[in-house]
Amino acid sequence: MAADARPNFSDLEAAAAGRHAVIAVAAAHDPEVLAAVRDAHDMFGTEAILFGQTARMDSLPAMAGITRIDTPDDETSAALAVEACRGGAASILMKGNLPTGTLMRAALARDTGLRSDGLLSHVMFYAPPRYGKLLVLTDGGLNPFPDLAQKKQILLNALTLMRRLGWTDINVSIVAAAEQVNPNIQSMVDAEWLAAQPDWAACSAHVIGPVGLDLAVSEAAAAAKHYTGEGAGKADLLLVPNYEVGNGIGKTLTWFGEAESAGLIVGATVPIVLVSRSDDHIAKRRSIALAMAASANDMEDNR
Amino acid sequence: MAADARPNFSDLEAAAAGRHAVIAVAAAHDPEVLAAVRDAHDMFGTEAILFGQTARMDSLPAMAGITRIDTPDDETSAALAVEACRGGAASILMKGNLPTGTLMRAALARDTGLRSDGLLSHVMFYAPPRYGKLLVLTDGGLNPFPDLAQKKQILLNALTLMRRLGWTDINVSIVAAAEQVNPNIQSMVDAEWLAAQPDWAACSAHVIGPVGLDLAVSEAAAAAKHYTGEGAGKADLLLVPNYEVGNGIGKTLTWFGEAESAGLIVGATVPIVLVSRSDDHIAKRRSIALAMAASANDMEDNR
């Protein structure tokens, strides 16, 4: 991969294959979760500690590096999986068949959780067939209505992750409904302020905004409207105003744009694989690959 | 078309061909606008009064029923086009090559505009190739952050238009990021209240919400998450929480879902064709067809 190229899902899975990682899965008793754990074991050599109802894990045969620990309920499963990450036995936390809230309460617990100094945020990767590269979106999941300081941290979190995964010269579009700033619309004011910050060159990013989605992802649309911001029409990363917008764009990409996806929560002491229960095992396996590349580089950074 | 079928763009254009209509176009000096006027004239017999720089209308040959009126600037062009609709010379207002704000200031002027008792709102029609029918979205354009009463009126406006255009048994999904109501998230509280109103059966509509876009448009997704609201997975109409969400979903449908589209503003004394300047003449012609069917039925209602 050339220095200025963008990785695709195959590149990211190939990078994961060279890493060592142990996933702690909370409530692992789910066929698609177990299939993803098995895929990751076979393809990347990933080890795993599976917390949950071990009697419901029969679809996964016994194999080296996979440990099962029986737990009485989701809360215990979540607490033990988080503790495995805190103690260093595992390097990735993964959501199985339990409510997101149950897992995140354990992960965010003040004294026993996985908080770092920063803000946790959600990053989704989409592969729209008609786009030719991955399109990353943040934050469509964890921070419903972030304020300006939170948006800045959300953007920094995504850029940090993308650089670890191999992106350089990242084109960021801060999405709004249009380009001309209406001072009564907070997302536009925020976008203009964020885009003007001097931080982004140091993150290997060009940041434009506010910008409508059309000008963010279509060079033809940007040319037609004479919009000339650097990277217009070829966004790598979309920063959305709030989770409703991110959820709407993301689900439209999935259901009408036929985009495959993978997702992560970043900003905690370990990456958290938090894909939807309705995602298939391929999406879950890809999310594990993203987490492995991110966490393995973490370890290298800390050497 | 069977009573319970949904019209597609071809049906709507066929219905327009039987109507009489005169369009008043503000700032008509634009090749795509003129091509749409010509298409509508040839296909539907539509007449037109073109306000603007007549020296820049050469791409349209002289033809019966098309009048050109030279105007010194956009403001005059908008004022005269609105006045043509007020006076009855025209039955549809159309935006040409001028800013939306200039046209809408003339259309909304208290004493000289086109206000009715109700709220004006924007309705977009999308034809996603993988959906099998039109998907209507409101309000992604005119009311940025509507309150609850405005959302109700926006929904009523769209249902009124769709019924005039031939829809019955309309499946409405009030979109949010998820289904379980979080009382801290206003769009969810609003959606739950709206869906529970008794008005909808009288409008030949089933209304569900709050509901994520996946469960609104995918029966498989609704089944996987055990969501059983009437019409789930086969929405005809999406009511979005605000224009940022509608803009994001709509532009994703266009740019990643390859959905053709058409759009209208309803709720004024005449329909207003207000497609984007970057839309091609086919989208503009289709929007004229929608406006013709809507305004012709208006006249019938008033007989």
Side-chain angles (χ1 to χ4, degrees), chain B residues 121-148:
Chain B
S121 60
H122 192 234
V123 187
M124 281 293 290
F125 293 69
Y126 295 94
R130 276 166 297 285
Y131 198 49
K133 62 177 179 180
L134 292 176
L135 183 61
V136 188
L137 186 153
T138 194
D139 179 339
L142 195 61
N143 296 284
F145 298 97
D147 64 23
L148 183 51

Side-chain angles (χ1 to χ4, degrees), chain A:
Chain A
M1 195 172 68
D4 63 346
R6 281 87 170 101
N8 58 32
F9 279 138
S10 297
D11 297 325
L12 294 169
E13 294 201 327
R19 312 291 192 181
H20 171 72
V22 182
I23 322 172
V25 186
H29 43 265
D30 174 272
E32 292 291 327
V33 170
L34 294 168
V37 167
R38 181 177 188 167
D39 275 4
H41 180 274
D42 293 348
M43 292 174 63
F44 320 137
T46 321
E47 300 181 13
I49 311 172
L50 309 180
F51 298 92
Q53 301 172 31
T54 53
R56 292 171 61 195
M57 299 182 193
D58 285 348
S59 66
L60 187 73
M63 49 182 76
I66 308 284
T67 307
R68 296 160 213 238
I69 297 179
D70 201 50
T71 56
D73 53 43
D74 287 346
E75 284 70 19
T76 310
S77 184
L80 291 177
V82 166
E83 178 53 33
C85 294
R86 268 180 76 88
S91 51
I92 296 169
L93 179 65
M94 180 172 178
K95 177 191 168 189
N97 186 12
L98 81 175
T100 298
T102 305
L103 182 66
M104 292 309 294
R105 270 191 298 277
L108 294 172
R110 193 137 318 254
D111 293 326
T112 58
L114 302 171
R115 284 181 188 269
S116 67
D117 294 338
L119 182 74
L120 274 67
S121 61
H122 192 233
V123 186
M124 281 293 289
F125 292 69
Y126 295 94
R130 276 167 297 285
Y131 198 50
K133 62 178 179 179
L134 292 176
L135 183 62
V136 187
L137 188 154
T138 192
D139 176 339
L142 195 62
N143 297 285
F145 298 97
D147 64 22
L148 183 51
Q150 289 171 322
K151 285 181 190 174
K152 185 175 180 186
Q153 190 61 49
I154 287 167
L155 178 48
L156 280 168
N157 279 358
L159 290 173
T160 302
L161 173 63
M162 290 172 73
R163 292 179 69 199
R164 284 180 184 168
L165 295 175
W167 272 259
T168 55
D169 288 319
I170 304 170
N171 296 317
V172 181
S173 285
I174 307 179
V175 173
E179 294 72 42
Q180 198 178 341
V181 175
N182 177 337
N184 296 314
I185 296 187
Q186 191 60 45
S187 63
M188 293 190 139
V189 177
D190 287 2
E192 187 172 48
W193 186 88
L194 277 171
Q197 294 307 297
D199 310 57
W200 310 123
C203 300
S204 194
H206 316 289
V207 180
I208 57 174
V211 60
L213 186 69
D214 49 343
L215 306 196
V217 301
S218 164
E219 291 183 84
K225 291 192 182 171
H226 308 293
Y227 185 87
T228 56
E230 180 156 9
K234 45 187 181 181
D236 298 299
L237 172 62
L238 304 176
L239 178 71
V240 292
N242 59 60
Y243 91 132
E244 289 180 337
V245 177
N247 193 279
I249 292 173
K251 284 176 172 165
T252 309
L253 282 168
T254 298
W255 292 100
F256 294 102
E258 299 185 315
E260 305 277 336
S261 62
L264 272 193
I265 288 180
V266 293
T269 56
V270 301
I272 304 176
V273 175
L274 186 78
V275 284
S276 167
R277 272 178 279 181
S278 64
D279 284 327
D280 64 15
H281 69 278
I282 297 170
K284 290 179 161 74
R285 183 192 79 210
R286 285 192 181 131
S287 302
I288 293 172
L290 294 184
M292 291 175 70
S295 73
N297 281 354
D298 266 335
M299 292 185 231
E300 283 163 14
D301 292 347
N302 294 336
R303 264 174 204 158

Side-chain angles (χ1 to χ4, degrees), chain B:
Chain B
M1 194 171 67
D4 63 345
R6 280 88 171 100
N8 58 33
F9 279 137
S10 298
D11 297 326
L12 294 168
E13 293 202 326
R19 312 290 191 181
H20 172 72
V22 181
I23 324 171
V25 185
H29 45 265
D30 174 272
E32 292 290 326
V33 169
L34 294 168
V37 167
R38 181 178 188 164
D39 274 5
H41 180 274
D42 294 348
M43 293 174 63
F44 320 137
T46 321
E47 299 180 12
I49 311 172
L50 309 179
F51 298 91
Q53 301 172 30
T54 53
R56 291 171 60 195
M57 298 182 193
D58 286 347
S59 65
L60 187 72
M63 50 181 77
I66 308 283
T67 307
R68 296 158 212 236
I69 296 179
D70 202 53
T71 56
D73 52 45
D74 287 346
E75 284 70 20
T76 309
S77 183
L80 291 177
V82 166
E83 178 53 34
C85 295
R86 266 180 79 88
S91 51
I92 296 168
L93 179 65
M94 180 170 177
K95 177 189 168 189
N97 186 12
L98 80 177
T100 299
T102 305
L103 182 66
M104 293 309 295
R105 269 191 300 278
L108 294 171
R110 195 141 310 262
D111 293 326
T112 59
L114 303 172
R115 285 180 187 274
S116 68
D117 293 339
L119 181 75
L120 275 67
S121 60
H122 192 234
V123 187
M124 281 293 290
F125 293 69
Y126 295 94
R130 276 166 297 285
Y131 198 49
K133 62 177 179 180
L134 292 176
L135 183 61
V136 188
L137 186 153
T138 194
D139 179 339
L142 195 61
N143 296 284
F145 298 97
D147 64 23
L148 183 51
Q150 290 172 321
K151 285 180 190 174
K152 186 176 179 187
Q153 190 60 47
I154 287 167
L155 179 48
L156 280 168
N157 279 0
L159 290 173
T160 302
L161 173 64
M162 290 171 74
R163 292 179 68 200
R164 287 182 182 167
L165 296 175
W167 272 259
T168 57
D169 289 320
I170 304 170
N171 297 317
V172 181
S173 285
I174 307 180
V175 173
E179 293 72 44
Q180 196 177 344
V181 176
N182 177 338
N184 296 316
I185 295 186
Q186 192 60 43
S187 63
M188 293 189 139
V189 177
D190 287 1
E192 186 172 51
W193 185 89
L194 277 171
Q197 295 308 295
D199 310 58
W200 310 125
C203 299
S204 192
H206 315 291
V207 179
I208 57 174
V211 60
L213 186 70
D214 49 342
L215 307 197
V217 301
S218 164
E219 292 184 82
K225 291 192 182 170
H226 309 292
Y227 184 85
T228 57
E230 180 156 10
K234 44 188 182 181
D236 297 300
L237 172 62
L238 305 176
L239 179 71
V240 293
N242 58 59
Y243 91 131
E244 289 180 337
V245 177
N247 193 280
I249 292 173
K251 285 177 171 164
T252 309
L253 282 167
T254 298
W255 292 100
F256 294 102
E258 298 184 318
E260 304 278 335
S261 62
L264 272 193
I265 288 180
V266 294
T269 56
V270 300
I272 304 176
V273 174
L274 187 78
V275 285
S276 168
R277 274 178 279 182
S278 64
D279 284 327
D280 64 15
H281 69 280
I282 298 171
K284 290 180 161 73
R285 184 193 77 212
R286 285 193 180 129
S287 303
I288 292 171
L290 294 183
M292 290 176 70
S295 72
N297 281 352
D298 264 336
M299 291 184 233
E300 284 162 16
D301 292 348
N302 294 337
R303 264 174 208 162

